[in-house]
Amino acid sequence: MAEMFLAESPWLSRNQVARMLKMSPRRATVYLSELPVRQRNLPWGLTRTVQFHEDDVQLVLERQLASIQ
């Protein structure tokens, strides 16, 4: 059941976003943190993990493609 919920969630982890943007997770996080994108912090042990909204990442990808062409 939990896996099904995760698959349908519009939130992406740092690693998923990094793969989409073809950047390291750290660089992708810094890059997206400088843009007006939705993000949320989840408590994870002693640290917090950041997640980014799928729609915002899609827009960033489209902008990147447009700037290349």
Side-chain angles (χ1 to χ4, degrees), residues 11-66:
W11 294 95
L12 301 170
S13 72
R14 255 172 51 133
N15 290 342
Q16 289 172 308
V17 170
R19 278 195 296 274
M20 288 174 75
L21 297 177
K22 295 180 175 47
M23 297 180 181
S24 71
R26 183 181 204 134
R27 183 165 171 235
T29 302
V30 170
Y31 178 72
L32 286 173
S33 295
E34 293 171 352
L35 299 173
V37 298
R38 287 169 284 179
Q39 55 182 316
R40 68 179 185 175
N41 290 310
L42 299 176
W44 189 261
L46 297 175
T47 61
R48 294 194 310 175
T49 180
V50 66
Q51 289 191 326
F52 297 97
H53 200 277
E54 190 175 20
D55 295 342
D56 296 339
V57 176
Q58 234 14 71
L59 285 173
V60 169
L61 276 173
E62 288 168 16
R63 278 193 218 127
Q64 280 184 332
L65 287 173

